[in-house]
Amino acid sequence: MRKLPYTLAAALAASALAVPATAAALPADVTASQCIADGGMIVISAVGDGTQGYSKRCMGGVHDGQTVL
């Protein structure tokens, strides 16, 4: 029995669950203090190759997926 289709389906399902909600569904931006106080952590990611700047997101907690000011 081939397991590749099941593995592929599981990987696609996991990646779909990991994608944040659309921009319209995201609440307003939060401060770093609010993110941490409500159980989240701040994830800083380079935009592009890093020359265009960085993005900061609150991951986890009450403000999951929101941009950190």
Side-chain angles (χ1 to χ4, degrees):
M1 176 182 282
R2 291 177 35 168
K3 294 193 182 237
L4 181 61
Y6 175 77
T7 305
L8 181 60
L12 290 173
S15 65
L17 293 174
V19 174
T22 61
L26 290 176
D29 298 336
V30 297
T31 65
S33 299
Q34 289 173 316
C35 175
I36 294 168
D38 291 329
M41 65 179 175
I42 301 168
V43 176
I44 302 171
S45 303
V47 176
D49 62 0
T51 60
Q52 290 104 358
Y54 297 91
S55 66
K56 296 180 280 185
R57 288 260 188 220
C58 183
M59 297 308 230
V62 175
H63 303 289
D64 189 36
Q66 293 182 39
T67 300
V68 175
L69 300 175

